[in-house]
Amino acid sequence: MARKTALSEARLTASICKESFEDFVRSFWCEVPGAGTLIWNWHLSTLCQELQDVAERVFRNEPKKHDCVFNVSPGSSKSSVCSILYPAWIWTRMPHARILTASHTDLLVLD
């Protein structure tokens, strides 16, 4: 019975995380190399919602409304959310997606 409960819990978590990028970030933060402890703040909710809105339009094959630029202080988890967790979340919904990312330094890329 315990195995069946664990399987149901895993399916429920997977379902929630597929539908919500914020829940995905909260659930899988511990998998980001060197990310440390997640300290949630309002800006992360806003960042996740904006990124999810962009992705949902892509999933529906709709044109973009606007470009996104996120101006937040260094150390605000922008790179971890945008460059590591966002592509992973997109691939859970659209496995054939191709994602192009860039960085101003090779140190970020090597992580």
Side-chain angles (χ1 to χ4, degrees):
M1 186 67 168
R3 182 178 166 97
K4 191 172 186 176
T5 302
L7 183 59
S8 297
E9 186 176 329
R11 284 186 179 162
L12 178 60
T13 299
S15 178
I16 290 169
C17 288
K18 270 188 171 183
E19 295 302 316
S20 168
F21 180 51
E22 181 173 332
D23 288 324
F24 182 89
V25 170
R26 289 176 184 265
S27 294
F28 291 99
W29 183 261
C30 59
E31 302 301 328
V32 176
T37 304
L38 176 60
I39 300 172
W40 200 263
N41 194 3
W42 67 268
H43 79 281
L44 291 173
S45 293
T46 301
L47 181 64
C48 288
Q49 186 57 56
E50 287 296 320
L51 290 170
Q52 180 160 349
D53 289 348
V54 169
E56 294 293 343
R57 295 185 70 76
V58 172
F59 299 152
R60 293 187 307 264
N61 200 28
E62 295 176 357
K64 69 178 181 177
K65 287 184 177 179
H66 50 74
D67 293 324
C68 293
V69 176
F70 301 110
N71 292 311
V72 293
S73 302
S76 300
S77 302
K78 182 180 65 196
S79 294
S80 296
V81 172
C82 295
S83 299
I84 297 172
L85 292 167
Y86 190 54
W89 180 74
I90 288 173
W91 289 320
T92 67
R93 302 270 304 271
M94 185 183 252
H96 61 278
R98 299 289 184 252
I99 299 166
L100 177 65
T101 60
S103 176
H104 73 303
T105 176
D106 62 340
L107 296 175
L108 290 174
V109 175
L110 295 175
D111 275 349

